[in-house]
Amino acid sequence: MVDLINLVQTLTSPHPLDRYLELVRPTLTAREMRAEIVHVDRSVPGSVTLTLRPTRQWKGHAAGQYVQIGVVINGVRHARCYSPVGPAGRGRHLQLTVKAHPDGLVSQYLYRNAEPGMVVDLEPAAGVFRLPDPRPERVLLISGGSGITPVLSMLRTLADEDYPGDVVFLHYAKSPEVVPHRAELDAIAERHKNFRIELRHPWRADTTRVDPTAPWVDVAPAKTSGYFDYDELERVAPWFADAHTYVCGPQSLMAAVRKIFEAEQLDDRLHTEEFTLSLAPVDADEAFGTVRFSASGVAADNNGAPLLEQAESAGLTPEYGCRMGICFSCTAVRRTGCTRNLRTGETDSDPDQPIQLCINAPVGDVDIDI
């Protein structure tokens, strides 16, 4: 079958076979994976949940992983990464919950325009933020805001497996109304007595119980400030030192959790995923020289910004996805020169090395092969 596809691909040159197949039906593909949106739910303010039906190439996902989807906006293809919220496996459908961020081009587009029948590009699931096999004896899941998506997939996976160990799911949100998939949380809490699900709303710390019909939801009661700290950790999961903890959310929450686990020397039991990028500030002493984009014959003064931004300012359009070092879509080869990884602070000057343009900045003269 693969040899036949390769032969047809050669005969249809210069365009790939999928360019012709998509004229018949957008989801009819030989190599590229796509997904059709079959249901759209906007019941939660500020977010949209999409149910997608992937093409036959879909191999499923592990709980906590992410997928990259691509959409065309005003004639330009844009790619972003989102975590499936459903349980792990190779189901017929894939569910994504997308928060419409104020400056998010793709999230705003999907929030406003997604509808059944729309087809998006889809990449295989990836990422190391995932539940291990075999499962730990105890699991602590902590999330904030849109960071709920990968840990919700973990929670639903454990529930589907009738996981017998202790589970605590602690989620921080601005208000009860913006927490997605409350029905699923209700059902899990009712069905699994070893699962403890709690919500925190720091902006409503004076509220003792927002939803009296869901007694499993402990919404910022008087004995807690509504923010994460050591006392809160011990209260919800006194066994946290024996558990594996998975955290995804805003920088402030991630930093608070890391601080405690580092102090307790439990780094090896903490697993994190970041959906926001925290970059080191530009060092004025490194913003000198010239950035040469040798494959395009373009050069520009180095202003210290990430290479992806400098390439775009120079009029180039390199491929990119998440813009935060997760998806590796913007990887290019650094031919010569030195770059600094803005997430780790480390510099590297080995020639002919692939680097991620979105999280690397040039230190002096640099030649990038784009």
Side-chain angles (χ1 to χ4, degrees):
M1 181 65 176
V2 173
D3 290 339
L4 177 60
I5 292 176
N6 288 336
L7 174 61
V8 176
Q9 191 90 351
T10 301
L11 294 174
T12 58
S13 180
H15 300 295
L17 174 61
D18 286 335
R19 294 291 80 78
Y20 295 98
L21 293 176
E22 68 184 6
L23 297 176
V24 180
R25 190 172 73 246
T27 55
L28 181 62
T29 63
R31 295 186 184 278
E32 299 175 3
M33 184 161 58
R34 298 198 180 116
E36 179 183 358
I37 297 175
V38 296
H39 186 260
V40 178
D41 180 1
R42 295 185 175 89
S43 60
V44 175
S47 68
V48 57
T49 294
L50 309 175
T51 302
L52 302 98
R53 182 169 56 226
T55 51
R56 58 179 176 78
Q57 298 93 336
W58 173 244
K59 303 299 183 183
H61 76 282
Q65 287 190 307
Y66 64 85
V67 297
Q68 179 177 296
I69 66 171
V71 297
V72 176
I73 304 174
N74 296 326
V76 179
R77 181 184 179 277
H78 300 270
R80 293 294 186 273
C81 297
Y82 300 106
S83 294
V85 296
R90 188 184 176 181
R92 179 174 171 78
H93 293 98
L94 171 69
Q95 196 174 55
L96 305 175
T97 295
V98 179
K99 179 177 175 59
H101 293 281
D103 299 321
L105 175 64
V106 174
S107 65
Q108 286 285 347
Y109 177 82
L110 291 172
Y111 179 69
R112 299 176 185 278
N113 300 288
E115 59 183 7
M118 180 184 292
V119 175
V120 299
D121 294 330
L122 179 66
E123 295 292 330
V128 297
F129 185 71
R130 53 189 292 179
L131 286 175
D133 289 316
R135 305 300 191 219
E137 292 184 5
R138 287 170 163 167
V139 176
L140 172 58
L141 306 172
I142 304 173
S143 60
S146 59
I148 192 175
T149 54
V151 294
L152 181 57
S153 176
M154 293 179 177
L155 180 72
R156 295 173 74 174
T157 297
L158 294 172
D160 275 12
E161 295 173 352
D162 287 324
Y163 173 76
D166 294 318
V167 179
V168 166
F169 177 82
L170 175 62
H171 178 66
Y172 291 81
K174 290 185 176 181
S175 69
E177 294 79 16
V178 299
V179 179
H181 305 284
R182 286 291 297 271
E184 285 84 352
L185 294 176
D186 282 336
I188 290 172
E190 289 294 329
R191 194 168 63 247
H192 301 273
K193 301 308 179 183
N194 55 319
F195 285 44
R196 182 176 179 180
I197 301 174
E198 300 204 8
L199 305 183
R200 294 290 180 271
H201 310 298
W203 292 267
R204 299 179 61 165
D206 59 333
T207 303
T208 57
R209 182 82 56 192
V210 172
D211 184 2
T213 66
W216 53 270
V217 179
D218 196 8
V219 186
K223 55 189 172 184
T224 176
S225 67
Y227 292 91
F228 184 87
D229 56 21
Y230 188 85
D231 290 341
E232 178 76 329
L233 178 61
E234 278 217 315
R235 197 185 76 76
V236 299
W239 38 255
F240 73 90
D242 299 322
H244 277 262
T245 298
Y246 299 84
V247 187
C248 184
Q251 289 293 329
S252 57
L253 176 61
M254 306 276 283
V257 177
R258 285 197 186 101
K259 182 178 180 180
I260 293 173
F261 275 73
E262 288 171 359
E264 296 292 320
Q265 298 183 338
L266 295 171
D267 305 56
D268 61 327
R269 290 182 172 270
L270 179 64
H271 314 275
T272 61
E273 179 79 295
E274 298 184 51
F275 282 168
T276 57
L277 180 59
S278 178
L279 296 179
V282 173
D283 188 339
D285 294 336
E286 298 177 352
F288 66 91
T290 302
V291 181
R292 300 187 185 281
F293 302 102
S294 52
S296 305
V298 175
D301 292 338
N302 174 19
N303 61 17
L307 282 160
L308 178 59
E309 295 180 15
Q310 296 207 47
E312 292 172 334
S313 296
L316 304 179
T317 56
E319 182 177 354
Y320 66 86
C322 66
R323 300 185 77 99
M324 56 181 295
I326 293 178
C327 70
F328 291 87
S329 296
C330 64
T331 300
V333 174
R334 181 192 59 239
R335 293 302 182 192
T336 60
C338 178
T339 56
R340 180 181 299 279
N341 186 306
L342 297 174
R343 299 184 75 171
T344 66
E346 297 177 353
T347 59
D348 185 12
S349 57
D350 290 342
D352 300 322
Q353 295 297 310
I355 63 171
Q356 293 171 271
L357 301 178
C358 65
I359 59 168
N360 279 276
V363 180
D365 296 328
V366 171
D367 184 340
I368 304 296
D369 188 20
I370 61 173

